[in-house]
Amino acid sequence: MSHIYNFSAGPAVLPKEVLQQASEELLDWHGSGMSVMEMSHRSKEFMSIAEKAENDFRELMGIPENYKVLFLQSGASSQFAMVPMNLLRGRQDADYIYTGQWSQKAIKEAKKYCSVNVAASSEDANFTYAPNQHDWKLNPNAAYVHYTPNETIGGVEFNWIPDLTDKNNNIPLVADMSSTILSRPLDVTKFGLIYAGAQKNIGPAGLTVVIIREDLMGITLPGTPTMYDYKIHADNHSMYNTPPTYALYITGLVLTWLKKLGGLTAVERINITKANLLYELLDSSDFYHCPVAKPDRSRMNVPFTLKDSALDKEFLKQAESHGLIQLKGHRSVGGMRASIYNAMPIEGVNTLVSFMKEFANNHA
Ligand SMILES: *Cc1c(COP(=O)(O)O)cnc(C)c1O
């Protein structure tokens, strides 16, 4: 098997060590005689897997006691509805920051349940920057403020956390962290709720993680399905129904791997190094271009274009023959996108950078 570096935006690359361990344990987990896939979610074996995953996740992210961690299903996309259903708590308004396609989807869904105030938008520059908090027009009656710290498609990342503590009556901050969670240390106390689909930076598809401050649970919109009620899941330790057991198990292995790397401070350092390698090449070259404003560039998803888009096909073809796959940009924006999540080794980025230099030289 030739070596492949997978730059997919999600489902995305997983650490080799994790897949190796999973393959060793596939048929017989720790002498249980069973695969994790075959275990009852209420068995003591699986309960120990779930408990360790939650503890490691809490430790890595420094999650305080008054926050619940929920292991759910149905993707970040379901959170677009679940957030308003649970967090409106009798109010009619919510603030949203509009920075690209994922926040747009969140806004569209929220409009089914409340009046959405788009407090800031980067539409004026084709979603290539993160609007400064000074320019946010927040509604003092909003039930919460929702934003997307990393727009996976546009490659725009907030390298700062909005501060809603003193002003605006402590309105809870809600973040869709699908493509940035676990990539850097985070002060969880700044947030009311954080959610993320697992398939970018946590583990396999099928698991959705929610971190929620306890006091925000318990009041849902009339008609809210039982499965969309955070409190039901919290009260049942994410075992109200069958959780995505195997995805959670793999996630546990990823979390152990992150701890071995040295935790999120060490991971952040590696991520900065990897992102800089790519952005330095993009900025020093006339051949490539990155459309995103420098301070707001994503460490996880790096979009770029070629000088001549007629070369796109050839670029992708030659990249693939170098073992560099899934570099095509999202169909809506074109160009290229390299997703370099935690599990992308630095060798993968180095290989990509070398290839890009060579390609530029050959086509200048
Ligand atoms: C991928 C992604 C989603 C959608 O996730 P699903 O789990 O497929 O629903 C939502 N928001 C962001 C920021 C994403 O990157």
Side-chain angles (χ1 to χ4, degrees):
M1 190 176 70
S2 65
H3 199 98
I4 289 292
Y5 291 112
N6 173 13
F7 294 91
S8 168
V13 59
L14 285 162
K16 270 267 162 332
E17 295 92 318
V18 165
L19 296 176
Q20 188 68 44
Q21 187 178 344
S23 79
E24 283 159 16
E25 296 176 345
L26 181 66
L27 298 180
D28 179 8
W29 183 82
H30 294 200
S32 66
M34 281 180 284
S35 173
V36 174
M37 274 183 256
E38 305 169 298
M39 289 176 183
S40 161
H41 57 298
R42 305 198 191 279
S43 66
K44 68 175 187 323
E45 289 91 350
F46 187 76
M47 295 287 265
S48 76
I49 290 171
E51 217 167 278
K52 181 162 184 345
E54 178 175 342
N55 290 341
D56 285 347
F57 188 71
R58 283 183 170 277
E59 184 186 325
L60 276 163
M61 292 202 50
I63 299 174
E65 288 278 306
N66 62 327
Y67 285 75
K68 294 285 187 197
V69 173
L70 309 178
F71 295 123
L72 310 179
Q73 306 196 39
S74 70
S77 300
S78 291
Q79 294 306 311
F80 297 160
M82 219 165 153
V83 164
M85 284 178 153
N86 286 265
L87 291 204
L88 284 168
R89 295 162 296 138
R91 297 191 185 220
Q92 266 82 50
D93 303 275
D95 281 334
Y96 277 72
I97 311 302
Y98 181 26
T99 48
Q101 293 197 33
W102 288 117
S103 44
Q104 182 179 39
K105 287 204 164 137
I107 290 166
K108 190 168 172 226
E109 191 72 8
K111 281 182 173 166
K112 294 183 176 174
Y113 306 101
C114 61
S115 159
V116 169
N117 169 44
V118 175
S121 161
S122 57
E123 193 173 14
D124 57 351
N126 201 23
F127 306 110
T128 51
Y129 73 101
N132 193 303
Q133 199 186 333
H134 295 299
D135 302 323
W136 294 15
K137 306 264 184 318
L138 295 172
N139 172 358
N141 295 316
Y144 60 88
V145 179
H146 178 284
Y147 82 122
T148 311
N150 187 61
E151 285 281 2
T152 320
I153 293 171
V156 172
E157 186 160 12
F158 287 73
N159 286 299
W160 46 278
I161 298 174
D163 182 10
L164 307 179
T165 44
D166 302 330
K167 299 152 280 226
N168 313 304
N169 319 319
N170 285 317
I171 294 177
L173 182 62
V174 176
D176 173 1
M177 294 215 175
S178 294
S179 50
T180 179
I181 195 163
L182 296 175
S183 71
R184 59 172 84 192
L186 192 71
D187 181 357
V188 173
T189 64
K190 296 251 160 63
F191 298 86
L193 188 150
I194 293 167
Y195 63 91
Q199 68 273 22
K200 276 105 187 203
N201 217 13
I202 304 179
L207 172 70
T208 307
V209 179
V210 172
I211 305 166
I212 181 169
R213 214 176 65 211
E214 273 169 355
D215 62 286
L216 297 175
M217 295 188 295
I219 304 173
T220 53
L221 281 187
T224 296
T226 308
M227 283 293 291
Y228 270 34
D229 183 343
Y230 292 127
K231 186 140 191 343
I232 294 282
H233 292 290
D235 288 348
N236 290 280
H237 304 282
S238 304
M239 300 263 181
Y240 173 75
N241 74 324
T242 316
T245 50
Y246 200 73
L248 186 47
Y249 155 73
I250 298 283
T251 293
L253 300 184
V254 171
L255 298 170
T256 305
W257 175 77
L258 288 170
K259 279 172 67 177
K260 266 199 235 148
L261 281 182
L264 299 191
T265 308
V267 168
E268 176 180 46
R269 217 176 303 127
I270 302 167
N271 285 331
I272 290 173
T273 306
K274 287 190 299 186
N276 282 349
L277 282 167
L278 264 172
Y279 287 118
E280 274 163 24
L281 168 68
L282 295 174
D283 286 341
S284 64
S285 154
D286 298 329
F287 190 84
Y288 299 106
H289 174 68
C290 173
V292 181
K294 277 192 185 169
D296 307 326
R297 286 175 171 179
S298 171
R299 292 180 190 158
M300 296 287 104
N301 312 94
V302 182
F304 61 93
T305 54
L306 274 54
K307 191 175 61 178
D308 178 1
S309 63
L311 288 169
D312 285 4
K313 262 210 172 103
E314 184 61 20
F315 179 91
L316 289 166
K317 196 175 125 205
Q318 288 193 24
E320 199 160 326
S321 72
H322 283 71
L324 305 163
I325 65 164
Q326 295 286 344
L327 284 164
K328 197 170 193 257
H330 191 268
R331 58 190 183 279
S332 62
V333 292
M336 309 297 155
R337 173 177 51 170
S339 294
I340 50 173
Y341 299 116
N342 289 344
M344 171 58 65
I346 194 153
E347 296 78 29
V349 179
N350 278 324
T351 307
L352 174 60
V353 166
S354 304
F355 163 72
M356 286 171 67
K357 284 183 182 161
E358 182 189 311
F359 188 88
N361 284 337
N362 293 341
H363 296 85

